[in-house]
Amino acid sequence: MHIHLACSSDDIVSFVSHRLSKAGELITAIHQPEALTELEQQSGDHHPVLVLDLEFAHAPVILDMLRQSASLSRIPLVVLVNSKHVEAHEPATPPHAVRVRKPFCINAVYQAIRRSERALQGLPNEVLQAGDIQLATSSGAAFKAGRSLRTHPRETLLLESFMRAPGEVLSREYILDNFFDYTAHPRPNLVDVLACRLRNRLHSGTDKTILHTVRGQGYMFKP
């Protein structure tokens, strides 16, 4: 995946570049709208994605370019915003754009990319199912046997990752890198706290162990 990042915040650029490069992704920072010309030419290669901060000075120009170009309009689009809800002063975004509220963790960007790709393909919002656990990825609503789990946003993202990889171990390092935002000062014990909170929600009302601790490695989801 080749992620093109249009953002004027050094903290965000540094955070995204470091985390995604560590994951093996290719990152290019966009400083001027003209750089989209290169993106347009590469739209058939490297699985391009555009991540656009709406506070970026050239955001309105870039959005206009996306609307006017058939090839650019087919590229997954993630927009970084300050509010969960659309604000009056925000420029209009394409229907396939997915909002990510700042500050954000890297996993939120990955989830938004998946949702934007599905929108471009005309697919409905994804609902994950594992045993009696269900997660609507677009709204973040999670249920177990029809009962709302009332997960917090970070717990919801972690649950989604577990549900996409049942039986696989998610390491503490992976969770630390992908589920804490750039304003946090995460410590390894925070991973255990996050996993413990999610486990308590999953295990409420049942004796079955769903989220397992794998000593010296991390956590495994087995519904």
Side-chain angles (χ1 to χ4, degrees), residues 158 162 167-176 188 191-192 195-196 199 210-221:
L158 182 57
F162 278 127
E168 297 182 17
V169 176
L170 296 189
S171 71
R172 285 182 170 83
E173 181 183 11
Y174 174 83
I175 296 173
L176 196 64
V191 172
D192 299 319
C196 183
R199 174 187 283 139
I210 299 171
L211 189 56
H212 301 256
T213 301
V214 181
R215 189 177 299 276
Q217 298 184 49
Y219 296 90
M220 179 190 297
F221 176 76

Side-chain angles (χ1 to χ4, degrees), residues 127-179:
V127 178
L128 302 180
Q129 184 85 39
D132 62 353
I133 300 171
Q134 188 179 74
L135 173 64
T137 59
S138 60
S139 65
F143 299 88
K144 184 175 186 296
R147 175 181 57 84
S148 175
L149 292 176
R150 301 182 183 278
T151 51
H152 294 160
R154 188 174 291 159
E155 297 165 0
T156 302
L157 289 170
L158 182 57
L159 175 60
E160 178 179 340
S161 288
F162 278 127
M163 293 181 73
R164 292 186 184 279
E168 297 182 17
V169 176
L170 296 189
S171 71
R172 285 182 170 83
E173 181 183 11
Y174 174 83
I175 296 173
L176 196 64
D177 282 348
N178 287 275
F179 295 90

Side-chain angles (χ1 to χ4, degrees), residues 176-191:
L176 196 64
D177 282 348
N178 287 275
F179 295 90
F180 293 89
D181 65 62
Y182 49 90
T183 66
H185 300 284
R187 303 177 302 277
N189 68 303
L190 293 183
V191 172

Side-chain angles (χ1 to χ4, degrees), residues 95-110:
H96 68 280
V98 177
R99 300 166 63 85
V100 170
R101 185 180 179 183
K102 297 180 288 186
F104 56 89
C105 66
I106 287 300
N107 190 267
V109 175
Y110 276 123

Side-chain angles (χ1 to χ4, degrees), residues 10 85 103 137 146:
D10 291 339
H85 305 288
T137 59

